Structures are given as C-alpha cells and as structure tokens.
Amino acid sequence: MPHIFADHMVLQRDAEIALWGKSAPKEQITVELNGVKKRGLANASGQWKVVLPPMEAGGPYTLTVSGKSDTLSFVDVLLGEVWICSGQSNMEFRLSSAMNSAKEIADADNYPGLRSFHVGQVMSHVPLNDVEGEWQCCTSATAGDFSAVGYFFARELYRRLGVPIGFINTSWGGTDIESWMSMEAIEQFPKYKRLQERMRSPRFEEYVQRSDENRAKFVESMKEEPGMAEQWYSTSYPKDDWKELVVPGLWSNDDLVAIDGVVWQTCTLELPEEYVGKEAILSLHVIDDDDITWINGQRVGETAGYDVRRLYHVPAGVLKEHNEITLKISDYRGGGGLYGPAHEIYLKIGDKTWPLSGTWRYKVSASSSDFDFVEYGPNAYPSLLYNAMVNALTGLSMRGVIWYQGENNTNRASEYFDLFPALINDWREKWGKEFPFYWVQLANYMEPVAEPGESLWAQVRAAQTQALSLPHTGQAVIIDIGEANDIHPKNKQDVGLRLARHALHKDYGFSDVVCESPFADTAHRVGDKVIVQFAHVAEGLMVKNKYGYLMSFAVAGSDGVYKWVQAKVVGKNRVVLSCPDISTPVSVRYAWGDNPDDANLYNSAGLPATPFEIEIE
C-alpha cells in the first residue's frame, strides 16, 4: 500500500474512507477497521481499492488488509480530521525555528492526538502513485520538525474539537505555484507549451540525466573546494584581495546572485583590552544553506539548514584585540548568504554588544557557473511537485487544504491572478469534491517606503484576495506580523490561529468565531472627503495606535499619483478620508506596498484589515 497508509495514521472521520494498493491480479482483498469489514477485488493489473463507510472519531484501532496469503497490519490508527498543508518555505518552516520554539516544543507532549505526515521532497515529470514519508506522533521529541503553520493550525482544531487531527505537510521552499499544478491545469497557459512538450518527450529522462551528471560534478567540487585544504579560515591566510559585500542579505553581487556553491566570508572586529579572552556569544541569525564558522582560526560552530538560528558560544581564550570572523557558506539551491535583521548579527560579551553588520569580504571557492548543467530544480518545469508530492494523495479522504505560497511568484505578480484560482480548481477537480481551501496572504516584507507607490507584493496580495470569489475559500491576512529583513517571519502562531478560525467557523459550526478580516466594500466621495465602507467588522472597526491615528491610506486623483491622506474611523464600519488637496479623487489604497508596516486598522476580533485598492464611486 502507499506510504500514506501506515502506523499512527489519521483517517478522515464522518466520510467514506478510501484505501488502495497493489496485489496479485484478481486477488480478493479484505479490509477491517473498527469492527467493520469490507472486501474488494484487484483488477487485471493488480490494482485494488476498498471504500469503508463513514465512522465517528476515535481510536486507536488496528487496520488490517488481507489478501490470499499476506496480511498488512497498521497499529495506532486514529479517526479524526485530516488536512493537507502545502506551499513553499513559510509552510515548510519548522516549529523549531518559530517564535518561542523551546516552550512550544516542550508543550507538544500535551497533544498526543496530533499526527504529522511529512511528504518527502521529490520531483517527477510524470504523475507518481506514492509519496515518501511516515506518520509521526506529536511529542516534544518529534514536533520540532513539524511544519510550524501546520502544527499551530492543527493544535487549535484539536483544542476546540477534541478529536484527533492529522496534517499532511507537502511543501518545498522557494517554489513557484506552477510546480504545484497538474499538467492538465498547466495546459490552460500557452507559455508552458514548450516545457510540457519536453517533459512528455521520450528523451526527457536522458536530458535530465546528462544535466544531473554535470551537477554531480559540481556537488563534488563543493566537497573538494580549496578553502578547507588551504585553511582560508586561518588568520595567516591573506584576504586583502577578497571582494566586498554587504551583510546581512542574500548574495546580490553580480558574481554571486545567480550561483550556487561555496563562498567564504570574513570580517574583522576590534575589542577593547578588557574584553580580550572572555567568553562570548556570536549571533549570525540565519544562513542559506549551511555554514562552518571560525574566530581567529578556531572553529566555534557549524549548522545545516537555511532556517536554523545561528547562536554560537565562543570559549574563553579565543578573542583578541584584533579578531577575524570567517564563514564557509555552502549554498545548494536558490539564494545564499547570511541574511535577516541587522540587529541580529552581533558579538556579545556580558552586557556589551558589538554589531557585525556592514561591509564584509568574500571569496568564491566553488561555483555552479563553472559547470554546464541546467538546475533540475522544482521550478525548472511546471507540475514537477504536483506529480511527485500531490498526485498520490488525491484519492485520500480528507477535510481540506491550507496553503502558504506566493513569495516566489512576486516577480510575475500579474500572472498570479489566473494561476492561483486555477490551482484551487485543479486540486478540487482531482479530488472530485469542493473541499475548503484556506490560504495565507503574503506578509509585509522588505524596507518600508516613505511615499506610496507600486508594489509587486501588493499585486500578489490582491490576486490572493480576488480568489475569495471561489466558493468555500478563506484568507488569513498577516500584513501586521511580517519582518522587514526576513522573508520567514517567526510568528507562525498567529498564522496558524487565523487559518484555524476559518475552519472552525465555516466547517465545524463555531458561529462565535470571527474568521474574516475587515474588507473594503465601497468608496464614495462626499465633498473633499472619501468614505470607505467595510464589511466583516465584527463589533466594529478599531485602530491599533496609542494616539488613535489611522495610517497607510492613500488616494489618487485623475493623474494616478497616490498621496497619503488623513483617515479616521467613524461609527462601526466606516473610514473617512480627508483629501482637500486632491481635486478629483478616483481610487483608494490601503496597506499597499511591500511592507506597509504602519497598517493599523483591525476589527474588534483583532484581525487586520485586508490590503486593497478600490475605485471611488
């Protein structure tokens, strides 16, 4: 049977339970669960499927599947709610890297009814019938590797429903939405015709193999890069000819931005005499992907993983008056480098902190540009991840999907208006039912701007909002919890809770749970003012600002130029904008930008208003 059927699994309650697998041709199969027994017959190819009737939540049970001479037994099987969690890195993001992770992981022992299945990251140019992975019970020993968003979503359902919750995490960081769509759905988009023809070519595997062979040579070059053998980490190794780059930030220099490989980075730090030789803490926040770190030629730490916090202990006796910090950074795919907030890059001795952000030096010791291969990654062709990581799940009985993706499509934001609803419709068609589909709108990210302007991130958010026109959908707005210097905000608790609100209200009958963010319905001009009417205000709109100032509203006149305007909440569901300097107001924007960090309009339930652009009537 496929790997999704295994010990500790959760099967969907109150719905027919489809089970399937392979046997000898025409073999009779008997399935038994919770006292219910059903039989089926394999076809001429040995494929079989048995559907059990709906059952109430409960367990643990043993599921047995018997053929003529063999029996499979799966133990500790629960009946409850099953959700699929998918997307890119913010869905993949592990609980161990989330805010307050130590406390959250320790608390995981209190939720034995939670089970997680992590789908192995695989690509395929043809649809596969199985996925790699295993079900894991929720404990403090296992939860750290769970999807943080999936965990917090499932935990809230578990707390409110009191039934087992299984969440299936099928996600891959840095991936385009096209890779998560089936080949049939991609056929709607002519720009991918040539790529699909190549995928369907009988020589595709030969092409990929040749490219993979060259990539393997590149990977070997990373292992044999000269920096370690020549001891580039030593203070005696000359570094005057190393080039300059700015830290923190993903590599953006011309010779770095498009490569994978090994890059050495170094900086110097002068310390007062009284701090020489003392113990210290070196904070490097996060590094994409792996690092080894030295101070004055002594290794002080190494870490694998692009989302893992680097906090290294520097033993007594290492630090001098003149110090050299050197990093070997290995980047295997996508962007590389030491990134995150500048204030998280520092050396600390006692209560004294020295910032390490600014100009560093670097030298490349292994580069993908030296090898003739095309990266056969998840974005090389559409459907690669759907084929390998979704297709095999489509027969599974489940409640719905939560989705967190879009960052990778911001450079082609206008396409997302068509791609996103196409994916939702595609998955529903493959499952054969209109299951609930809830997603996370993109968080605020990058540096805020002083004046209103255009934003690709805002366009993707608008495309996500527009998809709410599809039935049984919902959007968790998180424009208030992003981080300017980190595309992976650590507050995944509120993300999971806001997603769970949709499920609790719309699927589980909790009418008292408010799930919708305030949404601009209409905008009318009255004299030199514009009145914006909002829906989904709960008990009323509110402003999160100790002075009561409402921020992030801009109005454009007939020239199309947006200007900030004064705004205030009037009554329960209206915002009044004052725009005496705009003679002919034609449209309003709220929280429109990469990082509108001052957006502060909420409803009484504490949900932030949805960013929008709306015409003035």
Side-chain angles (χ1 to χ4, degrees):
M1 294 177 70
H3 285 81
I4 195 67
F5 302 117
D7 295 342
H8 316 299
M9 65 181 145
V10 181
L11 298 173
Q12 180 61 45
R13 65 166 177 168
D14 301 334
E16 290 186 334
I17 302 170
L19 302 161
W20 65 91
K22 194 170 184 180
S23 67
K26 302 295 184 178
E27 186 171 5
Q28 181 172 280
I29 305 299
T30 302
V31 176
E32 186 171 2
L33 174 69
N34 187 23
V36 177
K37 184 180 292 187
K38 292 270 289 187
R39 291 184 173 88
L41 193 66
N43 63 19
S45 300
Q47 305 293 332
W48 60 265
K49 179 179 179 180
V50 174
V51 179
L52 296 176
M55 302 181 192
E56 295 180 352
Y61 303 115
T62 297
L63 169 69
T64 59
V65 182
S66 303
K68 183 177 180 180
S69 57
D70 296 319
T71 297
L72 299 176
S73 292
F74 304 110
V75 300
D76 191 31
V77 176
L78 302 179
L79 284 161
E81 292 296 303
V82 179
W83 286 81
I84 291 176
C85 315
S86 188
Q88 57 179 107
S89 57
N90 272 305
M91 183 63 81
E92 182 184 356
F93 191 93
R94 291 172 287 192
L95 180 61
S96 60
S97 298
M99 180 177 69
N100 301 326
S101 59
K103 180 180 181 301
E104 299 288 12
I105 291 172
D107 187 53
D109 288 325
N110 296 317
Y111 306 101
L114 293 186
R115 305 288 170 86
S116 173
F117 186 96
H118 186 91
V119 175
Q121 293 182 336
V122 180
M123 299 174 289
S124 176
H125 69 288
V126 295
L128 303 182
N129 295 319
D130 197 4
V131 292
E132 295 295 326
E134 62 182 2
W135 285 96
Q136 289 191 310
C137 300
C138 181
T139 70
S140 57
T142 61
D145 288 330
F146 290 176
S147 159
V149 171
Y151 173 77
F152 291 124
F153 171 80
R155 186 180 72 178
E156 184 65 8
L157 298 189
Y158 184 68
R159 285 172 169 173
R160 301 296 291 266
L161 300 175
V163 302
I165 308 292
F167 58 105
I168 300 168
N169 173 22
T170 179
S171 56
W172 191 321
T175 51
D176 299 338
I177 193 172
E178 295 93 325
S179 196
W180 294 102
M181 300 166 65
S182 73
M183 297 178 76
E184 292 79 11
I186 286 295
E187 285 175 348
Q188 304 172 35
F189 301 91
K191 68 175 286 186
Y192 300 108
K193 181 179 179 181
R194 182 182 62 83
L195 292 177
Q196 284 211 318
E197 288 175 349
R198 175 173 284 180
M199 289 176 70
R200 291 185 167 112
S201 165
R203 301 191 64 183
F204 182 77
E205 292 185 4
E206 175 188 332
Y207 166 80
V208 171
Q209 181 180 353
R210 186 167 60 250
S211 191
D212 283 350
E213 289 172 355
N214 287 334
R215 191 182 195 286
K217 295 176 183 177
F218 157 63
V219 172
E220 192 62 28
S221 78
M222 291 180 67
K223 297 176 183 177
E224 298 177 354
E225 59 85 31
M228 293 295 289
E230 297 174 9
Q231 299 183 3
W232 291 7
Y233 52 82
S234 170
T235 56
S236 62
Y237 186 86
K239 302 178 178 69
D240 294 339
D241 62 338
W242 290 23
K243 299 178 182 178
E244 293 186 347
L245 84 168
V246 175
V247 169
L250 293 177
W251 296 329
S252 59
N253 293 35
D254 290 343
D255 59 336
L256 296 180
V257 67
I259 73 162
D260 299 319
V262 178
V263 177
W264 290 68
Q265 296 183 194
T266 190
C267 74
T268 57
L269 174 67
E270 303 295 327
L271 289 176
E273 185 177 353
E274 61 266 30
Y275 292 99
V276 170
K278 291 190 175 182
E279 291 185 59
I281 295 295
L282 175 65
S283 172
L284 300 175
H285 194 57
V286 286
I287 293 174
D288 193 344
D289 290 294
D290 304 343
D291 76 287
I292 305 175
T293 297
W294 295 263
I295 297 182
N296 298 328
Q298 180 164 328
R299 185 182 301 203
V300 295
E302 59 182 295
T303 304
Y306 71 91
D307 62 348
V308 182
R309 184 80 166 84
R310 270 72 169 179
L311 208 61
Y312 295 145
H313 172 254
V314 182
V318 173
L319 294 174
K320 305 175 182 179
E321 287 190 47
H322 177 78
N323 299 277
E324 183 178 89
I325 301 169
T326 303
L327 283 60
K328 174 191 173 184
I329 298 178
S330 300
D331 175 55
Y332 303 99
R333 184 172 283 114
L338 191 167
Y339 69 98
H343 68 270
E344 294 285 1
I345 317 298
Y346 61 82
L347 180 83
K348 186 174 184 180
I349 304 175
D351 296 330
K352 177 70 173 176
T353 299
W354 286 266
L356 297 175
S357 58
T359 301
W360 286 44
R361 291 182 175 274
Y362 74 92
K363 185 173 182 178
V364 179
S365 63
S367 172
S368 57
S369 64
D370 296 333
F371 297 82
D372 182 22
F373 70 92
V374 176
E375 179 66 60
Y376 180 54
N379 299 323
Y381 296 88
S383 306
L384 290 178
L385 299 187
Y386 175 87
N387 287 340
M389 297 174 64
V390 178
N391 183 71
L393 303 175
T394 56
L396 189 71
S397 299
M398 55 84 173
R399 178 66 67 182
V401 170
I402 59 173
W403 173 262
Y404 195 159
Q405 191 274 340
E407 298 92 338
N408 239 56
N409 283 84
T410 51
N411 62 330
R412 297 176 286 115
S414 61
E415 297 179 8
Y416 212 75
F417 285 89
D418 295 320
L419 289 168
F420 188 35
L423 176 135
I424 298 171
N425 290 329
D426 178 32
W427 284 27
R428 287 175 168 174
E429 181 179 340
K430 296 298 184 182
W431 257 272
K433 68 173 186 175
E434 193 180 273
F435 54 74
F437 195 106
Y438 307 133
W439 62 85
V440 184
Q441 192 186 56
L442 295 189
N444 49 313
Y445 173 57
M446 295 184 284
E447 290 302 317
V449 294
E451 298 298 329
E454 300 309 311
S455 164
L456 293 174
W457 279 64
Q459 286 187 42
V460 171
R461 294 188 196 107
Q464 292 171 317
T465 299
Q466 183 172 288
L468 291 171
S469 61
L470 295 177
H472 214 160
T473 54
Q475 176 172 258
V477 177
I478 60 165
I479 199 67
D480 58 332
I481 60 176
E483 299 177 26
N485 297 302
D486 196 341
I487 202 169
H488 306 112
K490 304 298 186 294
N491 180 0
K492 294 295 191 279
Q493 288 86 339
D494 282 330
V495 180
L497 287 173
R498 291 175 188 178
L499 286 167
R501 282 175 175 263
H502 286 280
L504 290 169
H505 180 86
K506 298 172 181 176
D507 304 301
Y508 301 118
F510 287 81
S511 57
D512 60 321
V513 174
V514 177
C515 62
E516 304 286 359
S517 281
F519 187 86
D521 261 347
T522 59
H524 291 87
R525 180 182 178 187
V526 180
D528 65 350
K529 300 186 185 304
V530 173
I531 299 174
V532 183
Q533 195 93 7
F534 283 83
H536 308 308
V537 300
E539 297 302 314
L541 294 172
M542 58 177 287
V543 181
K544 285 195 177 182
N545 180 288
K546 64 180 180 179
Y547 300 111
Y549 297 144
L550 188 52
M551 310 296 287
S552 207
F553 278 90
V555 172
S558 55
D559 59 359
V561 178
Y562 279 90
K563 298 178 181 178
W564 299 126
V565 296
Q566 291 184 347
K568 64 177 180 179
V569 173
V570 176
K572 181 179 178 179
N573 61 351
R574 292 183 298 161
V575 169
V576 177
L577 311 177
S578 298
C579 40
D581 299 330
I582 303 174
S583 58
T584 310
V586 296
S587 58
V588 180
R589 283 177 174 174
Y590 170 73
W592 191 272
D594 298 338
N595 183 8
D597 67 337
D598 57 354
N600 62 345
L601 180 63
Y602 292 75
N603 62 19
S604 61
L607 297 176
T610 306
F612 67 85
E613 179 180 43
I614 189 171
E615 292 185 2
I616 298 171
E617 299 177 8

